[in-house]
Amino acid sequence: MKSVLVTGANGFIGRNLVAFLGQKDIHVSATVRKLPCELSGVLKINECDIVQVVHWNDEIFETDAIVHLAGLAHSLEKKASKLCREFYEVNARGTAELVKRAIAAGVKHFIL
């Protein structure tokens, strides 16, 4: 059975994707920023912060593919300088660290 990890699984795209994959006989695991979170079609949900990916449990990376949907998108109430720093930490540095961990773990496919 194929397995897929979906980061940011509780967002609009993530919720629909995990439900779809769950119907296709694919083992789906998910990461979300905060629990509790209910998602249909998901066998395991992990609470993970994309900025802290270096601290993620190695079992998260025991998967055939990662669909990376986690990211900072709606935080416009902050000052521009702080917002730019947060966008970089989450969307650039966090994603780069996730890719490094996935490569080291032998994940075959990474979809961003």
Side-chain angles (χ1 to χ4, degrees):
M1 176 184 286
K2 298 281 185 187
S3 63
V4 175
L5 166 67
V6 179
T7 69
N10 58 333
F12 176 75
I13 296 171
R15 285 184 182 280
N16 289 291
L17 179 61
V18 297
F20 174 79
L21 294 173
Q23 295 173 356
K24 300 295 180 189
D25 198 30
I26 295 173
H27 178 271
V28 180
S29 57
T31 65
V32 296
R33 191 178 320 153
K34 295 195 181 191
L35 292 173
C37 179
E38 292 185 30
L39 295 167
S40 66
V42 176
L43 297 176
K44 185 169 187 177
I45 301 174
N46 296 287
E47 182 177 21
C48 301
D49 183 339
I50 188 67
V51 177
Q52 301 297 323
V53 70
V54 294
H55 302 293
W56 286 16
N57 185 324
D58 285 340
E59 83 175 25
I60 291 174
F61 295 95
E62 294 172 359
T63 186
D64 296 308
I66 295 175
V67 178
H68 179 48
L69 302 173
L72 183 60
H74 306 287
S75 185
L76 300 177
E77 69 278 355
K78 298 180 182 173
K79 287 177 135 181
S81 61
K82 185 173 184 180
L83 185 61
C84 285
R85 190 170 38 256
E86 286 184 15
F87 269 89
Y88 172 78
E89 286 298 311
V90 174
N91 297 343
R93 192 178 68 78
T95 299
E97 289 298 322
L98 179 61
V99 169
K100 288 179 193 174
R101 290 285 308 274
I103 290 169
V107 175
K108 296 174 186 134
H109 304 282
F110 190 97
I111 300 166
L112 174 61

